[in-house]
Amino acid sequence: MRGWQGRALVFDASRSSSKVWEYGGEFALSYIGGRGFTARILWDLLPQGADPLGPDNLLVFAAGPLTGFPGPGPSKLVVAAKSPLTGGYGDGNVGGLAAVRLRECGFDALVVRGAAPKPSVLVVEDGGARLEPAEDLWGLDAYECERRLRERYGKGAGVLLIGPAGENLVPLATVVCEGGRSGGRPGIGAVMGSKRIKAVVFLGGGELKAADPKGLRRVAAEAYREVSRRPSYGLWLRQGTMAAVRWAEENSVLPVMNFSEGVLEDVSRIDGHALERLKVRLRGCPLCNSPCGNSIEVDGKLAELDYEGVAMLGPNLLIEDLRDAARLSLLADLYGIDSIGLGVVLGFAMEARERGLLSEAPEWGDVRGALELAEDIVYRRGELGELLSRGVAYASLKLKADEFAMHVKGLEVTAYDCHAAPGMALAYGTSPIGAHHKDAWIISWEVNNDRLGYTRAKVRKLIEQQRIRGGLFEFLVACRLPWVELGLSLDWYLKLLKAATGVSFTFEQLWEAADRVYALIRAFWIRERGEWSRLMDWPPRKWFEKPLTRGLLRGAKLDPDGYSAMLSWYYEERGWDERGVPRRSTLEKLGLEDVASTLEGVVGLSP
Ligand code: PTT
Ligand code: SF4
């Protein structure tokens, strides 16, 4: 095999022993890489019903066949586990040197099972792995810990780590690196903490062999050139994802006051232009020529900013100044907690205070109060810190406040208000990890196309996006932003894939693999929960019950009958039954006969 390394390392942290799993060409062609690998590995190797924070859970890191080769944005990997936040399949995507070095260690994936007896660093080298003591690192924030790791292992090492949130098993904890990269919103950082692994260090050093190295270098050079010629390249380098703040506000989709409104009175203090005025650094993932890591300085440190974090920790809390939102975002990166999840639980607490349910929570716009509460959440301090640290689904259950809890399947909603966006609501409803835009950012299409309609055309568009974003990009694993933001044609990825692996993939093959992995992930959820209903795919109640009161779309809210019709069409198009369970015939068509027999015993299958 070329392009793939053909091997995964399975490390048992309880016994400090490793095994190499050599997988064959059929596995590679069916699951391709990244999320395809993590989903299949979790289905096959995770004991059914495993406690997400127990030693039986698996922490899986998987790169793809483009990772580490030249090309636009190929230094990414998928981190996955059974989620302690949702109880279902959870994954995320992190960019950085770690992805490249993992592959240079001779592996496409690393699977960690068990738990180390004491705080450790997992060091992965060509051919194997070992645990090294990390008592001196436990408790450190992510920036300081990474600085020390680089002193110990060298500047060129690939590093993934957790902050105090992961150590404290906060289910909103992510895996972080390089002072501004984060992945694994469904609590993957807490899974790493439960294994007492403060950091994974990939030393790399080996070679990546492409099927056609010369051809790969040529195609990559052409693709890089194409990226830099795109009309939006200049704006992208200046503002990155922060350009979306103004766009979201203009289109009434900016989350404001815990997703109560979609517009702000004055967005100019917190938008991409505000970033341009304060920006002190731009950097990106390795091998990327469209860097998007924009930093400003706050409290003597650099805070790397992106749309999601700023929207959720700014307007969503009625904090309207970029520096204030950046303070909260920096705290999230130092402590290794998801900025989106943090924004949702803080917004929930502020609204609960307004409604007279939580007198000790901060008021809207109270930056100091939000910073203090965020620390309490990370350290699970006090009753409120402990309550919110478990995520918004748990907190709302305790407070009987489901009507303003912004989540799907237990994962907090990302930064797009959906009162007037039924397609995006369905994207959140059907995302395979809970409310996340990563699989389908249909909102940008929807605001220009039949915005308020509930149509089958929207459902088809959504599935098309899920195949590209949740499939192609999460399999390869390549950054999707050159395609989304700069309009790079998808054809480049087929060319890169051919040169890397020698296989002439067609889009149809990739879409079939995406459908296979979607069905498999849904099966994982059903197996682990032991039951299923279409309510699991239902967006937050607030968007149906409490209309927007400001902006051009005031009065807008979602229609439950319209949403239900779209959900039924979605199931039909996917070959799933009215409960949202894949049909036997669908699973068989996708080559998942073994999955069908397991599910039959759990919920029964429709033909
Ligand atoms: C992603 C989610 C996002 S989506 C953002 S900003 W975005 C938030 N980033 C956080 C952060 O930072 N620190 C923190 N403590 N928490 C954070 N939570 C939020 O996590 C990121 C970029 C971005 S910036 C996006 S959209 C794209 N995501 C990609 C993806 O998912 N797949 C893919 N093939 N390519 C992608 N390219 C882009 O990468 P999750 P990163 Mg992230 C600081 O992980 O769990 O999926 O949640 O990966 O390396 O930081 O790059 O406006
Ligand atoms: Fe990384 Fe941004 Fe480049 Fe994507 S566009 S590879 S997230 S720097």
Side-chain angles (χ1 to χ4, degrees), residues 131-403:
L131 291 174
E132 293 191 357
E135 277 101 337
D136 56 326
L137 303 175
W138 203 253
L140 291 183
D141 73 52
Y143 284 22
E144 176 58 16
C145 179
E146 185 159 349
R147 194 187 63 74
R148 293 205 202 172
L149 287 165
R150 292 198 178 283
E151 263 175 22
R152 200 181 289 176
Y153 298 103
K155 278 200 169 66
V159 169
L160 293 173
L161 70 157
I162 53 169
E167 295 171 11
N168 296 331
L169 309 184
V170 171
L172 301 170
T174 57
V175 176
V176 293
C177 67
E178 298 177 20
R181 298 280 149 201
S182 159
R185 295 191 52 232
I188 311 305
V191 176
M192 193 154 145
S194 74
K195 302 197 175 301
R196 293 186 202 89
I197 293 178
K198 176 70 178 176
V200 185
V201 173
F202 300 95
L203 295 179
E207 211 194 326
L208 286 183
K209 292 198 177 77
D212 173 9
K214 235 164 108 192
L216 183 60
R217 278 197 298 277
R218 183 180 41 76
V219 178
E222 286 167 14
Y224 281 132
R225 234 184 339 267
E226 183 60 27
V227 166
S228 62
R229 284 199 197 119
R230 306 302 301 169
S232 45
Y233 189 62
L235 175 65
W236 178 252
L237 292 186
R238 293 199 308 278
Q239 298 193 0
T241 60
M242 282 288 293
V245 175
R246 187 160 283 268
W247 171 85
E249 208 275 339
E250 282 169 2
N251 288 292
S252 276
V253 297
L254 188 69
V256 175
M257 298 169 79
N258 193 29
F259 294 87
S260 294
E261 305 293 345
V263 291
L264 262 193
E265 216 145 88
D266 176 15
V267 82
S268 67
R269 287 194 297 135
I270 198 158
D271 66 1
H273 299 288
L275 168 76
E276 282 193 58
R277 290 192 293 275
L278 296 171
K279 179 166 157 175
V280 293
R281 186 179 74 186
L282 170 65
R283 63 176 188 170
C285 305
L287 299 163
C288 170
N289 76 328
S290 51
C292 69
N294 290 296
S295 297
I296 71 168
E297 199 178 315
V298 279
D299 308 329
K301 289 201 163 72
L302 289 180
E304 202 163 294
L305 300 178
D306 48 63
Y307 167 72
E308 300 290 330
V310 167
M312 296 306 300
L313 296 166
N316 191 51
L317 310 180
L318 211 58
I319 288 170
E320 296 174 80
D321 184 274
L322 187 60
R323 259 174 294 222
D324 288 334
R327 283 193 175 92
L328 281 158
S329 168
L330 174 64
L331 179 147
D333 284 345
L334 287 169
Y335 290 155
I337 188 166
D338 173 32
S339 54
I340 296 171
L342 182 63
V344 168
V345 292
L346 290 174
F348 172 81
M350 288 176 173
E351 184 162 351
R353 177 186 170 119
E354 186 179 60
R355 289 169 179 250
L357 294 173
L358 276 181
S359 55
E360 64 277 39
E363 290 182 339
W364 295 118
D366 174 1
V367 186
R368 188 183 293 256
L371 282 163
E372 279 169 15
L373 182 53
E375 269 209 31
D376 289 346
I377 290 170
V378 168
Y379 289 99
R380 311 181 80 140
R381 265 192 314 238
E383 238 175 85
L384 187 56
E386 171 63 29
L387 176 80
L388 297 173
S389 75
R390 308 252 193 133
V392 82
Y394 176 89
S396 66
L397 207 70
K398 289 282 163 198
L399 292 186
K400 299 195 173 43
D402 187 44
E403 69 275 22

